[in-house]
Amino acid sequence: MNSPRTGPSGPAVIAMWSPPRCRSTAFERMMIERGDLTVLHEPFNVLASKGSYEIGGRVHNSETALLDAILELARTGRRPVYFKDTTDCRYAGLLSDPRLTTAIQHTFIVRDPAEAIASHYARNPELSADQVGFGHCWEIFELVRETVGTVPVVVDADDLVADPAGIAAAYSSSTGLPYLPDALNWQAGERSEWQVFEAWHRDAAASTGIHDRSGVYADTVANNPRLARLHAVQQPYYDRLREHRIRPAAAPTAGEATA
């Protein structure tokens, strides 16, 4: 378990990194439903894409300033901070900041790259190898593992949809959070924090829990040579990350979960 800093009720800041289209937003929706976390949606991706990210009414325009704000929120807020972010770009300023590894507990979610690539290409026909994101995800994983000296938590999306309760229980145990089974179900609907990338989160907005909503795509790694080349580059990173995935745990009963 990787937990550089903890608060009174568990980790002060938990990050989940994900290549795009790896069901990370559905996982984030579950974390929102818990109700015991302050959840930030893709702060560094929004900063990279839009030039700024707002926390508590203050706008931040650099990775250093945004990291400052996240850590301050964790110090002064009443709840631990959880943020989900994507690795379709490389956050150079963040990677060079030592607080990234000393002040944040890092976790990861990945998915079979063939599925992630087909889903991503359907929304972004200009998709590049960097934007697929498994290489950037592996870079963060390796930085954390080498600096902290422990293996970060990795969730495989296939395991998540096969056994949501078991993976949620294992993730909670691995990160020091209480297991809250009621968070596995929620009301469908848009979230204000998703509006900046609204088109990318329609499946999550329509969901009421974690289910396999894999689509059927005209272009896949099997029939599109360019996607096949992207897949060949990204698959080894996925394989390395998947080696460290957590396994489903026996979910506690309702009484045990809230004890």
Side-chain angles (χ1 to χ4, degrees), residues 24-160:
S24 61
T25 305
F27 198 97
E28 176 191 49
R29 183 64 184 84
M30 177 182 70
M31 301 302 278
I32 292 170
E33 193 67 17
R34 292 175 57 92
D36 62 346
L37 302 169
T38 297
V39 178
L40 304 177
H41 177 70
E42 299 184 9
F44 293 98
N45 185 34
V46 172
L47 172 64
S49 301
K50 306 297 182 182
S52 65
Y53 189 87
E54 181 179 326
I55 296 178
R58 297 182 62 184
V59 175
H60 307 283
N61 304 105
S62 72
E63 290 173 0
T64 298
L66 181 52
L67 181 58
D68 287 341
I70 291 171
L71 298 180
E72 181 65 17
L73 181 62
R75 283 192 294 268
T76 60
R78 300 178 61 185
R79 298 182 292 185
V81 173
Y82 168 93
F83 72 85
K84 185 271 286 194
D85 226 315
T86 56
T87 55
D88 40 336
C89 58
R90 185 177 186 271
Y91 307 110
L94 192 60
L95 289 166
S96 64
D97 193 316
R99 296 172 303 167
L100 178 68
T101 52
T102 59
I104 297 174
Q105 179 175 8
H106 296 274
T107 66
F108 299 80
I109 185 168
V110 292
R111 180 186 185 186
D112 182 342
E115 297 174 357
I117 288 169
S119 177
H120 198 159
Y121 181 77
R123 295 196 177 276
N124 176 21
E126 303 302 316
L127 180 63
S128 68
D130 279 350
Q131 290 173 325
V132 176
F134 285 84
H136 294 152
C137 201
W138 173 251
E139 182 180 16
I140 298 172
F141 178 93
E142 276 288 84
L143 175 65
V144 172
R145 182 168 64 167
E146 291 175 1
T147 305
V148 179
T150 56
V151 177
V153 174
V154 178
V155 173
D156 188 283
D158 286 345
D159 296 334
L160 177 65

Side-chain angles (χ1 to χ4, degrees), residues 201-224:
H201 302 314
R202 287 173 182 161
D203 287 346
S207 70
T208 57
I210 294 174
H211 307 288
D212 187 353
R213 300 173 64 90
S214 299
V216 177
Y217 303 102
D219 288 273
T220 70
V221 301
N223 64 24
N224 183 312

